[in-house]
Amino acid sequence: MAKILAVDDSASMRGMVAFTLRSAGYDVAEADNGQAALDTAATSKFDLVLADVNMPVMDGISMVRELRTRAEYKGVPILMLTTESNTDKKMEGKAAGATGWLVKPFDPEQLLATVKRVLG
């Protein structure tokens, strides 16, 4: 089953995302900010990264930019799961290399359908 890295500074949101994905059989690792995600991604390869935008230490868009510079993450889908619905922020995320954008609160079925679709 695919390995997914869930990145969110909210422990409760990260837990809900991880629970939803694990319930569908995915192998999920968690990180609480962009820098922690980069550190985790340096030691383990993931098939998908699901990240919040607004986080302390390193935001999600900066994390996406950094991941896209790594050869092993150039083709890996990166979904943003955030309360940000601002069009400019979405364009910034897309320019950084984000694959898609989901707005919180999330519907578990929609999340799983999107994850399945981007994983192919």
Side-chain angles (χ1 to χ4, degrees):
M1 187 49 84
K3 289 180 64 175
I4 299 174
L5 178 58
V7 189
D8 199 305
D9 60 320
S10 165
S12 60
M13 179 57 69
R14 202 173 56 245
M16 286 190 291
V17 168
F19 176 79
T20 299
L21 295 171
R22 286 181 182 127
S23 295
Y26 293 105
D27 181 8
V28 181
E30 301 177 36
D32 63 0
N33 66 67
Q35 185 58 55
L38 292 177
D39 294 345
T40 301
T43 59
S44 190
K45 177 78 165 73
F46 293 92
D47 302 301
L48 174 99
V49 178
L50 187 62
D52 190 10
V53 169
N54 298 311
M55 298 181 286
V57 184
M58 177 184 279
D59 67 81
I61 291 175
S62 297
M63 181 207 71
V64 171
R65 278 192 199 102
E66 177 61 29
L67 277 177
R68 290 301 188 209
T69 67
R70 299 179 182 185
E72 67 272 25
Y73 282 94
K74 286 198 183 297
V76 171
I78 303 174
L79 296 174
M80 307 309 293
L81 178 61
T82 179
T83 56
E84 286 279 355
S85 59
N86 177 304
T87 302
D88 290 342
K89 206 61 150 174
K90 286 182 184 177
M91 295 306 292
E92 186 181 355
K94 186 173 181 172
T99 307
W101 199 274
L102 298 167
V103 178
K104 296 176 190 172
F106 72 93
D107 172 26
E109 290 184 19
Q110 181 188 10
L111 175 65
L112 291 174
T114 302
V115 165
K116 185 176 179 182
R117 180 173 43 83
V118 298
L119 285 173

